[in-house]
């Protein structure tokens, strides 16, 4: 049994992890995501850009003191996409349980 | 979890669920409240009400000791304020949670409400009636504590808030001196005890 019609943008470890963190917070800094993703800076930037291009997240660039600060926030579109994705997984497991019994 | 730009890892059903669970746990563990501010303010007001206000009214103290007590009444809250600012800046979380934002609004609103109560008293009574002010402030604090407990989903804080409210009502039956004692008990029950328990349960990593 495999997923059908799953959002390909969320169907990747790093992007799903980013969205799963952002869905629980109001906003998160790049450093916070990096600490918890166990991925490289470059990859995280790349995946954030992908999510931002799809309007799933908003990226705000500013400064804290002399240091650049990147803050990410989930958008309404992103939230809806995440909800659909989670519902699909839920449907899969429900179907899986039914097939088993 | 390792992934690179060239080699994106796609998931199966179980892995997706695992990633979601892990990340939710990350937010839960890293953004917990450690109760430090509850402990600091709890002890400050407990000491202030009991040792610097209630007991000096009951015992005859020397002029010098009274001077020290008067200074401490100001020094302790100022220390609390400085520590709070330092703690907030030092602990500045890299992620803003809805819980953190809600709590900030609750406590800033409490402070603003206290100022407004005093201004209203000045307008209506043309002076500040401390016997009236104490129970009203206690009700406001009880409200803030209960809401905080609800936001943090911590029953002991909710219970502390309710006790604070009941002690506010009780305080309205007594004169100022006894009100100070009830205030001290309320701060101990609603701040010191839950604060220490939260601190004991904090994420030690």
């Amino acid at each position: 049994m495999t997923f059908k019609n799953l959002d390909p943008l969320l169907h990747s470890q790093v992007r799903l992890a980013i969205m799963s963190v952002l869905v629980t917070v109001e906003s998160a800094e790049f450093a916070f995501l990096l600490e918890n993703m166990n991925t490289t800076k470059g990859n995280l930037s790349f995946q954030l850009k992908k999510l931002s291009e799809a309007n799933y997240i908003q990226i705000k660039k500013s400064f804290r003191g002399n240091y650049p600060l990147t803050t990410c926030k989930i958008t309404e579109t992103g939230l809806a996409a995440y909800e659909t994705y989670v519902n699909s997984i839920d449907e899969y497991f429900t179907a899986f349980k039914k097939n088993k019994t | 979890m390792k992934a690179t730009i060239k080699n994106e890892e796609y998931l199966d059903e179980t892995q997706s669920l695992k990633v979601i669970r892990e990340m939710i746990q990350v937010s839960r563990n890293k953004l917990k409240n450690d109760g430090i501010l509850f402990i600091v303010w709890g002890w400050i007001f407990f000491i202030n009400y009991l040792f610097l206000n209630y007991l000096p009214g009951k015992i005859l103290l020397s002029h010098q000791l009274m001077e020290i007590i008067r200074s401490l009444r100001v020094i302790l809250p100022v220390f609390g304020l400085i520590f709070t600012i330092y703690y907030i800046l030092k602990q500045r979380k890299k992620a803003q949670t809805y819980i953190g934002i809600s709590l900030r609004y609750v406590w800033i609103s409490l402070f603003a409400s206290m100022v407004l109560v005093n201004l209203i008293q000045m307008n209506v009574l043309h002076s500040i009636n401390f016997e009236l002010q104490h129970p009203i402030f206690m009700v406001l604090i009880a409200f803030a504590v209960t809401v905080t407990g609800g936001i943090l989903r911590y029953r002991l804080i909710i219970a502390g808030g309710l006790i604070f409210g009941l002690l506010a009502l009780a305080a309205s039956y007594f004169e100022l001196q006894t009100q100070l004692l009830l205030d001290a008990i309320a701060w101990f029950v609603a701040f010191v005890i839950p604060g220490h328990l939260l601190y004991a349960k904090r994420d030690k990593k």
Side-chain angles (χ1 to χ4, degrees):
Chain A
M1 194 178 224
T2 51
F3 281 131
K4 280 175 190 168
N5 303 323
L6 268 182
D7 186 344
L9 208 61
L10 294 182
H11 206 42
S12 114
Q13 279 209 350
V14 178
R15 289 196 295 270
L16 183 61
I18 294 168
M19 292 294 280
S20 298
V21 168
L22 291 181
V23 85
T24 59
V25 296
E26 213 268 332
S27 64
E29 292 176 17
F30 183 87
F32 181 81
L33 294 172
L34 191 64
E35 261 172 37
N36 299 298
M37 299 286 135
N38 199 14
T39 187
T40 60
K41 265 188 188 178
N43 189 32
L44 183 59
S45 296
F46 179 77
Q47 306 301 348
L48 286 173
K49 201 176 159 210
K50 270 192 159 182
L51 289 169
S52 167
E53 280 167 358
N55 194 30
Y56 282 10
I57 63 166
Q58 248 177 21
I59 298 176
K60 193 179 148 199
K61 292 194 185 274
S62 58
F63 282 90
R64 180 181 286 159
N66 291 325
Y67 299 96
L69 179 70
T70 304
T71 316
C72 308
K73 194 177 176 177
I74 200 163
T75 61
E76 286 293 325
T77 317
L79 203 60
Y82 187 82
E83 214 177 329
T84 311
Y85 186 87
V86 171
N87 286 340
S88 304
I89 297 173
D90 190 42
E91 275 168 27
Y92 167 82
F93 280 104
T94 312
F96 182 76
K97 271 183 196 167
K98 270 185 190 166
N99 284 345
K100 239 182 151 184
T101 50
Chain B
M1 192 193 309
K2 289 275 179 198
T4 61
I5 297 167
K6 283 177 188 169
N7 182 24
E8 274 186 10
E9 284 181 38
Y10 287 93
L11 309 157
D12 66 26
E13 301 80 1
T14 324
Q15 282 173 324
S16 289
L17 200 64
K18 194 170 167 254
V19 170
I20 292 168
R21 278 192 180 143
E22 273 178 10
M23 289 302 114
I24 289 171
Q25 204 56 41
V26 160
S27 313
R28 205 182 257 178
N29 287 343
K30 297 223 165 179
L31 306 167
K32 269 187 198 162
N33 191 308
D34 60 11
I36 293 275
L37 293 180
F38 258 67
I39 294 172
V40 170
W41 285 105
W43 278 115
I44 286 175
F45 278 104
F46 174 72
I47 292 168
N48 215 316
Y49 283 121
L50 187 64
F51 297 106
L52 307 180
N53 283 287
Y54 175 72
L55 289 178
K58 292 272 171 193
I59 310 160
L60 196 63
L61 297 168
S62 68
H63 178 72
Q64 269 182 326
L65 200 56
M66 271 314 290
E67 281 302 308
I68 295 169
I69 283 171
R70 274 192 205 105
S71 313
L72 281 174
R73 281 177 193 162
V74 180
I75 291 168
L76 280 179
V78 170
F79 160 78
L81 203 62
I82 293 167
F83 178 82
T84 304
I85 293 166
Y86 165 77
Y87 178 82
I88 289 170
L89 290 177
K90 189 174 166 259
Q91 290 285 108
R92 191 158 51 189
K93 306 258 168 70
K94 291 172 185 164
Q96 290 270 345
T97 60
Y98 295 105
I99 287 179
I101 293 165
S102 311
L103 290 179
R104 206 182 306 153
Y105 276 105
V106 169
W107 290 94
I108 292 172
S109 309
L110 168 74
F111 183 74
S113 302
M114 286 172 157
V115 173
L116 285 175
V117 165
N118 275 349
L119 288 174
I120 291 166
Q121 270 206 84
M122 283 300 286
N123 287 341
V124 178
L125 305 172
H126 306 292
S127 67
I128 290 178
N129 181 339
F130 288 101
E131 251 178 40
L132 177 65
Q133 188 208 46
H134 268 273
I136 290 175
F137 275 14
M138 283 176 80
V139 167
L140 293 176
I141 296 164
F143 175 77
V145 172
T146 312
V147 172
T148 299
I151 291 170
L152 293 173
R153 292 192 184 85
Y154 197 50
R155 282 184 193 163
L156 199 66
I157 296 180
I158 298 174
L162 295 176
I163 294 169
F164 215 113
L166 289 173
L167 286 170
L169 179 66
S172 67
Y173 290 102
F174 295 97
E175 85 291 5
L176 188 62
Q177 194 61 24
T178 313
Q179 286 182 359
L180 297 171
L181 178 65
L182 292 173
D183 232 329
I185 295 167
W187 278 89
F188 194 81
V189 171
F191 285 81
V192 176
I193 296 172
H196 280 287
L197 289 174
L198 268 175
Y199 187 72
K201 277 168 71 180
R202 77 196 186 281
D203 184 13
K204 284 167 188 159
K205 287 174 206 166

